[in-house]
Amino acid sequence: MIDRRAGRVLLVDLAGRVLLLHGGDPARPEQRWWFTPGGGLTPGETVADAARRELFEETGLRIGLSDLGEPVHHEVTEFSYDRRQYRQEQDFFLVRVADWQVDTAGMEEAERLTITEHRWWSAAEIEASAEQIFPVDLAALLRRHTADAVPDGRC
C-alpha cells in the first residue's frame, strides 16, 4: 500500500456547477469515472501547492495561494491505479469562477492518457447519474459549500 497526500479543487462556476474530469486507470481501461481536478504532492509541496499546480495542469487555470483559502473537505480514500494500491489522504479546496474554458495543454503525459473529457455538473445531475463520481458525497458537499455563496467573478 502506497500512502500519499493530495490536494484537490472543487472548481465551481456562477451556476453552482462543479468541474469534473473523466478518466480511468491505464491498467483497467474499461473502467471510467468522474473526479475533481487535483493530485498527489511532489517533494517539498504543501497540499495547497499541489492543488494549485494540478488545477493549472489539468484545466489551465492559474490561481494564487490566497485564492484557495482553507480546505472545505478532508477524506481518506483507498484505490488501485496502474496495478498499485494507494491510501490517499486528501484535502479539497473551493475555488469559484465566473466562467472557465478548460485548457489541457499543461497536462502531463500520464494525464493525457487517462483523462478523456471534462464537464460541468450540478448537484442534481450528480445525484441523478449512474456513473461513478468521486468523492462519493460530492453532491452534498457542493450544496453545503455553495448554498449561500456569491462568486467573486474571477475567470
Side-chain angles (χ1 to χ4, degrees), residues 22-137:
H22 192 235
D25 181 347
R28 298 174 289 146
E30 71 286 353
Q31 294 183 8
R32 312 300 283 170
W33 54 87
W34 292 92
F35 53 96
T36 60
L41 280 63
T42 60
E45 263 187 332
T46 66
V47 175
D49 290 336
R52 291 175 52 236
R53 176 184 48 77
E54 290 282 345
L55 182 65
F56 176 69
E57 287 175 8
E58 296 172 349
T59 72
L61 180 60
R62 189 179 302 274
I63 61 170
L65 191 56
S66 63
D67 295 323
L68 285 181
E70 294 297 316
V72 297
H73 182 67
H74 176 85
E75 71 175 18
V76 177
T77 185
E78 291 184 6
F79 59 92
S80 171
Y81 184 81
D82 205 17
R83 297 181 179 86
R84 290 177 284 222
Q85 291 296 120
Y86 290 87
R87 181 187 173 280
Q88 181 164 286
E89 185 177 349
Q90 52 191 13
D91 288 308
F92 291 77
F93 298 87
L94 178 67
V95 175
R96 292 185 184 86
V97 291
D99 185 34
W100 184 252
Q101 297 300 315
V102 174
D103 176 0
T104 60
M107 281 191 186
E108 295 179 349
E109 185 60 27
E111 292 166 328
R112 288 185 195 286
L113 294 173
T114 59
I115 297 173
T116 57
E117 63 183 305
H118 60 273
R119 178 180 156 200
W120 294 92
W121 291 73
S122 70
E125 289 170 327
I126 292 168
E127 289 170 333
S129 178
E131 298 195 58
Q132 283 191 302
I133 300 173
F134 297 102
V136 294
D137 59 347

Side-chain angles (χ1 to χ4, degrees), residues 6-21:
R8 308 203 71 84
V9 176
L10 302 175
L11 186 62
V12 178
D13 70 4
L14 287 174
R17 301 174 307 169
V18 64
L19 180 71
L20 296 179
L21 307 174

